[in-house]
Amino acid sequence: AALLSSGAALATDSSTFQLRNADDLVRACSVPADHALYPNATGFCHGVLTGAYRYYESTVTAANRFVCPPSPLPTRTTVMNGFVAWAKANPKYMNEPPIDTLFRYLAETYPCRK
């Protein structure tokens, strides 16, 4: 069975969250606060966003980074909501790999000044 949220089908069990493309990530990150899956979806989204960024941070030297967050750091919720809004305004990327699309957003929003 599926629940409908914002016009997108969500599985009733959060263990079935999948990241086949950016649209899947956007759907998980945009579950409404009053939806039964909100805590799981938000935790999943925060985990993906944080994990992807921490991997980038640990594997890309400071001199080669193209994403440089401001100080003070934005909250995970701020980044999540910004990513969702950006993605909805850029639907051409929704079939792209989710992490690639996340980093398109991050590079536009938090570019490094060199």
Side-chain angles (χ1 to χ4, degrees):
L3 298 174
L4 294 181
S5 171
S6 303
L10 289 174
T12 58
D13 178 356
S14 63
S15 68
T16 62
F17 288 148
Q18 295 182 26
L19 292 181
R20 297 166 297 211
N21 56 37
D23 188 56
D24 287 344
L25 181 57
V26 170
R27 280 194 272 154
C29 294
S30 59
V31 172
D34 62 349
H35 193 285
L37 286 179
Y38 177 78
N40 292 2
T42 300
F44 178 81
C45 179
H46 284 189
V48 169
L49 301 181
T50 301
Y53 184 74
R54 293 296 179 215
Y55 180 79
Y56 163 79
E57 193 175 48
S58 71
T59 59
V60 178
T61 64
N64 292 319
R65 291 188 185 148
F66 57 93
V67 175
C68 295
S71 181
L73 290 173
T75 66
R76 289 178 300 200
T77 300
T78 297
V79 174
M80 179 181 78
N81 292 338
F83 170 65
V84 168
W86 178 90
K88 289 181 177 181
N90 291 279
K92 63 187 173 190
Y93 299 120
M94 290 306 93
N95 288 318
E96 298 293 323
I99 304 306
D100 291 356
T101 303
L102 168 64
F103 275 89
R104 283 182 191 276
Y105 159 74
L106 292 173
E108 281 187 28
T109 307
Y110 306 112
C112 294
R113 309 280 184 230
K114 294 184 182 190

